[in-house]
Amino acid sequence: MTKPLTKAIRDKQANGTAVIVPYIMAGDGGLENLEAKLQLLEASGATAIEVGVPFSDPVADGPVIQSAGLRALQDGVSLRVILQTLQTSRVKLPLVIMSYINPIFKYGIKEFIQAIQTTPVKGLIVPDLPYEHRELISNLLVDTDIALVPLVSLTSSEARMQEIASEAEGFIYAVTVNGITGQRQAFADTLETHFAQLKRVSPVPVLAGFGISTQAHVAHFHAICDGVVIGSKFVQLFHENKEQEVQQFLEEATK
């Protein structure tokens, strides 16, 4: 079946609207503000929203998101209280949980999957879960409407892309750089070829992530793939209480 996360992206594309998936760190600035942030992003044109879970060793995250996670941890934010908060969310957009495997394992994988089914979560990203061990989670999602979103790196061979794409659900998170998250000025010239190869073998949308922070970046990646994930820029703007700039960026990018 087509997962709701894929449908939300395809519906946006059918309307000729740019696909933007903002990332926020749950609990940064207070967990009590999470719902307001989600509603702002929804009202401003987001396609889906990636909700980060704070972790003490976030190997894929750059300094902005690392700092946000540490602030949330210092406030006692955990995966359990995040899910309890999301259970009361009124947001209609699909949410995507981004968590390292350790908090999920500590929660209990089966219990975690049961819990997210009582929330608006329709996707799950676990950046440190090797593809070869995806069954730890994917087997528990078979009869649900939740997608385990795979990541594809720039170093992936075409054979590896085909292998990952063959079972992809939701969307493919295509990493744009060799390294951690964070705002960047430029990207490799080889990205166009890389994304063309990935789109040829992918049955689901391909979204670019890592380093995307400007309207020019958004336009560039929408020309070569299906949409973008934007994290550090929005995390920093929310930290600086610049909600209006978040709204303006999204409205301009999706108009």
Side-chain angles (χ1 to χ4, degrees), residues 65-94:
I65 293 178
Q66 284 188 24
S67 296
L70 290 175
R71 290 191 295 266
L73 288 173
Q74 288 167 359
D75 285 343
V77 175
S78 67
L79 177 58
R80 190 170 300 275
V81 296
I82 291 170
L83 295 186
Q84 289 170 350
T85 301
L86 292 180
Q87 285 172 343
T88 63
S89 178
R90 299 186 301 277
V91 171
K92 300 296 191 293
L93 289 184

mmCIF file of all heavy atoms in Angstrom, residues 65-94:
data_model
loop_
_atom_site.group_PDB
_atom_site.id
_atom_site.type_symbol
_atom_site.label_atom_id
_atom_site.label_comp_id
_atom_site.label_asym_id
_atom_site.label_seq_id
_atom_site.Cartn_x
_atom_site.Cartn_y
_atom_site.Cartn_z
ATOM 1 N N ILE A 65 22.201 21.535 15.549
ATOM 2 C CA ILE A 65 21.259 20.520 16.031
ATOM 3 C C ILE A 65 21.812 19.823 17.272
ATOM 4 O O ILE A 65 21.052 19.492 18.197
ATOM 5 C CB ILE A 65 20.936 19.523 14.900
ATOM 6 C CG1 ILE A 65 20.161 20.255 13.795
ATOM 7 C CG2 ILE A 65 20.120 18.347 15.426
ATOM 8 C CD1 ILE A 65 19.821 19.399 12.586
ATOM 9 N N GLN A 66 23.118 19.626 17.346
ATOM 10 C CA GLN A 66 23.710 19.074 18.565
ATOM 11 C C GLN A 66 23.389 19.951 19.771
ATOM 12 O O GLN A 66 22.992 19.457 20.829
ATOM 13 C CB GLN A 66 25.226 18.951 18.418
ATOM 14 C CG GLN A 66 25.690 17.785 17.570
ATOM 15 C CD GLN A 66 27.199 17.602 17.635
ATOM 16 O OE1 GLN A 66 27.833 18.014 18.594
ATOM 17 N NE2 GLN A 66 27.760 16.989 16.609
ATOM 18 N N SER A 67 23.557 21.257 19.618
ATOM 19 C CA SER A 67 23.294 22.187 20.718
ATOM 20 C C SER A 67 21.824 22.158 21.119
ATOM 21 O O SER A 67 21.488 22.197 22.308
ATOM 22 C CB SER A 67 23.697 23.610 20.320
ATOM 23 O OG SER A 67 25.095 23.688 20.096
ATOM 24 N N ALA A 68 20.948 22.080 20.125
ATOM 25 C CA ALA A 68 19.513 22.014 20.412
ATOM 26 C C ALA A 68 19.176 20.756 21.203
ATOM 27 O O ALA A 68 18.376 20.781 22.154
ATOM 28 C CB ALA A 68 18.712 22.062 19.115
ATOM 29 N N GLY A 69 19.777 19.634 20.813
ATOM 30 C CA GLY A 69 19.548 18.391 21.522
ATOM 31 C C GLY A 69 20.036 18.435 22.955
ATOM 32 O O GLY A 69 19.365 17.954 23.876
ATOM 33 N N LEU A 70 21.199 19.049 23.164
ATOM 34 C CA LEU A 70 21.732 19.171 24.524
ATOM 35 C C LEU A 70 20.837 20.046 25.393
ATOM 36 O O LEU A 70 20.614 19.742 26.572
ATOM 37 C CB LEU A 70 23.154 19.727 24.481
ATOM 38 C CG LEU A 70 24.220 18.782 23.926
ATOM 39 C CD1 LEU A 70 25.566 19.484 23.825
ATOM 40 C CD2 LEU A 70 24.327 17.535 24.807
ATOM 41 N N ARG A 71 20.314 21.121 24.817
ATOM 42 C CA ARG A 71 19.394 21.977 25.587
ATOM 43 C C ARG A 71 18.150 21.196 25.998
ATOM 44 O O ARG A 71 17.661 21.312 27.133
ATOM 45 C CB ARG A 71 19.005 23.214 24.764
ATOM 46 C CG ARG A 71 20.128 24.211 24.573
ATOM 47 C CD ARG A 71 19.622 25.526 23.991
ATOM 48 N NE ARG A 71 19.089 25.395 22.648
ATOM 49 C CZ ARG A 71 19.792 25.597 21.533
ATOM 50 N NH1 ARG A 71 21.084 25.894 21.604
ATOM 51 N NH2 ARG A 71 19.221 25.485 20.339
ATOM 52 N N ALA A 72 17.637 20.397 25.064
ATOM 53 C CA ALA A 72 16.443 19.601 25.364
ATOM 54 C C ALA A 72 16.742 18.554 26.440
ATOM 55 O O ALA A 72 15.946 18.342 27.359
ATOM 56 C CB ALA A 72 15.924 18.935 24.095
ATOM 57 N N LEU A 73 17.891 17.893 26.334
ATOM 58 C CA LEU A 73 18.262 16.894 27.336
ATOM 59 C C LEU A 73 18.408 17.527 28.716
ATOM 60 O O LEU A 73 18.015 16.945 29.734
ATOM 61 C CB LEU A 73 19.566 16.204 26.932
ATOM 62 C CG LEU A 73 19.491 15.226 25.755
ATOM 63 C CD1 LEU A 73 20.887 14.753 25.372
ATOM 64 C CD2 LEU A 73 18.593 14.034 26.080
ATOM 65 N N GLN A 74 18.977 18.724 28.760
ATOM 66 C CA GLN A 74 19.150 19.413 30.036
ATOM 67 C C GLN A 74 17.800 19.760 30.674
ATOM 68 O O GLN A 74 17.701 19.891 31.898
ATOM 69 C CB GLN A 74 19.982 20.682 29.837
ATOM 70 C CG GLN A 74 21.455 20.394 29.567
ATOM 71 C CD GLN A 74 22.220 21.605 29.075
ATOM 72 O OE1 GLN A 74 21.658 22.697 28.900
ATOM 73 N NE2 GLN A 74 23.514 21.429 28.822
ATOM 74 N N ASP A 75 16.769 19.873 29.852
ATOM 75 C CA ASP A 75 15.419 20.132 30.353
ATOM 76 C C ASP A 75 14.668 18.837 30.666
ATOM 77 O O ASP A 75 13.473 18.876 30.978
ATOM 78 C CB ASP A 75 14.616 20.956 29.336
ATOM 79 C CG ASP A 75 15.049 22.421 29.323
ATOM 80 O OD1 ASP A 75 15.705 22.855 30.293
ATOM 81 O OD2 ASP A 75 14.737 23.130 28.345
ATOM 82 N N GLY A 76 15.358 17.709 30.557
ATOM 83 C CA GLY A 76 14.741 16.433 30.904
ATOM 84 C C GLY A 76 13.854 15.838 29.831
ATOM 85 O O GLY A 76 13.032 14.962 30.119
ATOM 86 N N VAL A 77 14.023 16.287 28.580
ATOM 87 C CA VAL A 77 13.186 15.785 27.490
ATOM 88 C C VAL A 77 13.662 14.385 27.084
ATOM 89 O O VAL A 77 14.857 14.155 26.894
ATOM 90 C CB VAL A 77 13.228 16.738 26.283
ATOM 91 C CG1 VAL A 77 12.451 16.157 25.107
ATOM 92 C CG2 VAL A 77 12.668 18.097 26.679
ATOM 93 N N SER A 78 12.722 13.473 26.928
ATOM 94 C CA SER A 78 13.020 12.103 26.517
ATOM 95 C C SER A 78 12.061 11.680 25.419
ATOM 96 O O SER A 78 11.046 12.345 25.155
ATOM 97 C CB SER A 78 12.879 11.142 27.707
ATOM 98 O OG SER A 78 11.514 11.070 28.110
ATOM 99 N N LEU A 79 12.375 10.560 24.787
ATOM 100 C CA LEU A 79 11.492 10.019 23.756
ATOM 101 C C LEU A 79 10.104 9.763 24.320
ATOM 102 O O LEU A 79 9.093 10.041 23.663
ATOM 103 C CB LEU A 79 12.095 8.732 23.188
ATOM 104 C CG LEU A 79 11.270 7.976 22.141
ATOM 105 C CD1 LEU A 79 10.949 8.860 20.944
ATOM 106 C CD2 LEU A 79 12.019 6.722 21.694
ATOM 107 N N ARG A 80 10.025 9.260 25.528
ATOM 108 C CA ARG A 80 8.728 8.931 26.127
ATOM 109 C C ARG A 80 7.840 10.164 26.274
ATOM 110 O O ARG A 80 6.659 10.147 25.921
ATOM 111 C CB ARG A 80 8.931 8.251 27.483
ATOM 112 C CG ARG A 80 7.642 7.662 28.075
ATOM 113 C CD ARG A 80 7.944 6.796 29.278
ATOM 114 N NE ARG A 80 8.816 5.680 28.928
ATOM 115 C CZ ARG A 80 8.381 4.533 28.434
ATOM 116 N NH1 ARG A 80 7.082 4.350 28.218
ATOM 117 N NH2 ARG A 80 9.234 3.565 28.144
ATOM 118 N N VAL A 81 8.411 11.259 26.786
ATOM 119 C CA VAL A 81 7.573 12.450 26.992
ATOM 120 C C VAL A 81 7.257 13.126 25.660
ATOM 121 O O VAL A 81 6.209 13.776 25.523
ATOM 122 C CB VAL A 81 8.227 13.437 27.986
ATOM 123 C CG1 VAL A 81 8.337 12.806 29.370
ATOM 124 C CG2 VAL A 81 9.589 13.924 27.506
ATOM 125 N N ILE A 82 8.135 12.975 24.678
ATOM 126 C CA ILE A 82 7.839 13.516 23.349
ATOM 127 C C ILE A 82 6.610 12.820 22.766
ATOM 128 O O ILE A 82 5.680 13.474 22.267
ATOM 129 C CB ILE A 82 9.046 13.347 22.406
ATOM 130 C CG1 ILE A 82 10.190 14.254 22.839
ATOM 131 C CG2 ILE A 82 8.652 13.640 20.950
ATOM 132 C CD1 ILE A 82 11.500 13.977 22.124
ATOM 133 N N LEU A 83 6.586 11.496 22.844
ATOM 134 C CA LEU A 83 5.445 10.755 22.297
ATOM 135 C C LEU A 83 4.168 11.053 23.077
ATOM 136 O O LEU A 83 3.082 11.153 22.491
ATOM 137 C CB LEU A 83 5.740 9.256 22.302
ATOM 138 C CG LEU A 83 6.886 8.798 21.394
ATOM 139 C CD1 LEU A 83 6.979 7.277 21.370
ATOM 140 C CD2 LEU A 83 6.732 9.342 19.983
ATOM 141 N N GLN A 84 4.280 11.239 24.376
ATOM 142 C CA GLN A 84 3.109 11.610 25.167
ATOM 143 C C GLN A 84 2.560 12.955 24.717
ATOM 144 O O GLN A 84 1.337 13.152 24.637
ATOM 145 C CB GLN A 84 3.465 11.646 26.654
ATOM 146 C CG GLN A 84 3.714 10.280 27.263
ATOM 147 C CD GLN A 84 4.288 10.352 28.664
ATOM 148 O OE1 GLN A 84 4.693 11.420 29.146
ATOM 149 N NE2 GLN A 84 4.357 9.219 29.338
ATOM 150 N N THR A 85 3.452 13.869 24.382
ATOM 151 C CA THR A 85 3.026 15.180 23.883
ATOM 152 C C THR A 85 2.375 15.062 22.510
ATOM 153 O O THR A 85 1.336 15.679 22.234
ATOM 154 C CB THR A 85 4.234 16.136 23.808
ATOM 155 O OG1 THR A 85 4.814 16.265 25.106
ATOM 156 C CG2 THR A 85 3.815 17.514 23.307
ATOM 157 N N LEU A 86 2.970 14.258 21.629
ATOM 158 C CA LEU A 86 2.433 14.114 20.277
ATOM 159 C C LEU A 86 1.080 13.401 20.257
ATOM 160 O O LEU A 86 0.304 13.568 19.315
ATOM 161 C CB LEU A 86 3.430 13.353 19.396
ATOM 162 C CG LEU A 86 4.737 14.076 19.082
ATOM 163 C CD1 LEU A 86 5.633 13.203 18.210
ATOM 164 C CD2 LEU A 86 4.484 15.422 18.407
ATOM 165 N N GLN A 87 0.790 12.622 21.283
ATOM 166 C CA GLN A 87 -0.503 11.932 21.344
ATOM 167 C C GLN A 87 -1.673 12.907 21.422
ATOM 168 O O GLN A 87 -2.794 12.556 21.060
ATOM 169 C CB GLN A 87 -0.528 10.971 22.543
ATOM 170 C CG GLN A 87 0.283 9.710 22.320
ATOM 171 C CD GLN A 87 0.418 8.868 23.568
ATOM 172 O OE1 GLN A 87 0.190 9.329 24.682
ATOM 173 N NE2 GLN A 87 0.794 7.606 23.404
ATOM 174 N N THR A 88 -1.407 14.129 21.844
ATOM 175 C CA THR A 88 -2.474 15.136 21.944
ATOM 176 C C THR A 88 -2.399 16.170 20.823
ATOM 177 O O THR A 88 -3.167 17.125 20.812
ATOM 178 C CB THR A 88 -2.409 15.857 23.299
ATOM 179 O OG1 THR A 88 -1.164 16.576 23.398
ATOM 180 C CG2 THR A 88 -2.503 14.860 24.450
ATOM 181 N N SER A 89 -1.478 15.978 19.877
ATOM 182 C CA SER A 89 -1.302 16.954 18.802
ATOM 183 C C SER A 89 -2.519 16.989 17.887
ATOM 184 O O SER A 89 -3.114 15.955 17.570
ATOM 185 C CB SER A 89 -0.052 16.630 17.988
ATOM 186 O OG SER A 89 0.088 17.549 16.913
ATOM 187 N N ARG A 90 -2.842 18.190 17.422
ATOM 188 C CA ARG A 90 -3.959 18.378 16.487
ATOM 189 C C ARG A 90 -3.463 18.575 15.047
ATOM 190 O O ARG A 90 -4.258 18.879 14.156
ATOM 191 C CB ARG A 90 -4.798 19.588 16.919
ATOM 192 C CG ARG A 90 -5.419 19.435 18.298
ATOM 193 C CD ARG A 90 -6.353 20.588 18.627
ATOM 194 N NE ARG A 90 -5.676 21.880 18.592
ATOM 195 C CZ ARG A 90 -4.962 22.389 19.596
ATOM 196 N NH1 ARG A 90 -4.806 21.689 20.709
ATOM 197 N NH2 ARG A 90 -4.389 23.575 19.495
ATOM 198 N N VAL A 91 -2.182 18.396 14.843
ATOM 199 C CA VAL A 91 -1.599 18.584 13.513
ATOM 200 C C VAL A 91 -2.074 17.482 12.572
ATOM 201 O O VAL A 91 -2.138 16.312 12.938
ATOM 202 C CB VAL A 91 -0.059 18.581 13.607
ATOM 203 C CG1 VAL A 91 0.571 18.555 12.232
ATOM 204 C CG2 VAL A 91 0.421 19.795 14.389
ATOM 205 N N LYS A 92 -2.425 17.875 11.357
ATOM 206 C CA LYS A 92 -2.917 16.915 10.359
ATOM 207 C C LYS A 92 -1.813 16.411 9.437
ATOM 208 O O LYS A 92 -1.972 15.381 8.780
ATOM 209 C CB LYS A 92 -4.016 17.567 9.505
ATOM 210 C CG LYS A 92 -5.230 18.026 10.316
ATOM 211 C CD LYS A 92 -5.944 16.839 10.960
ATOM 212 C CE LYS A 92 -7.288 17.248 11.542
ATOM 213 N NZ LYS A 92 -7.141 18.161 12.707
ATOM 214 N N LEU A 93 -0.708 17.141 9.346
ATOM 215 C CA LEU A 93 0.396 16.707 8.492
ATOM 216 C C LEU A 93 1.037 15.441 9.051
ATOM 217 O O LEU A 93 1.046 15.225 10.263
ATOM 218 C CB LEU A 93 1.485 17.790 8.433
ATOM 219 C CG LEU A 93 1.216 19.074 7.679
ATOM 220 C CD1 LEU A 93 2.484 19.925 7.685
ATOM 221 C CD2 LEU A 93 0.784 18.793 6.256
ATOM 222 N N PRO A 94 1.616 14.609 8.179
ATOM 223 C CA PRO A 94 2.380 13.467 8.690
ATOM 224 C C PRO A 94 3.646 13.958 9.392
ATOM 225 O O PRO A 94 4.369 14.809 8.876
ATOM 226 C CB PRO A 94 2.713 12.658 7.437
ATOM 227 C CG PRO A 94 2.562 13.599 6.294
ATOM 228 C CD PRO A 94 1.538 14.610 6.697
#
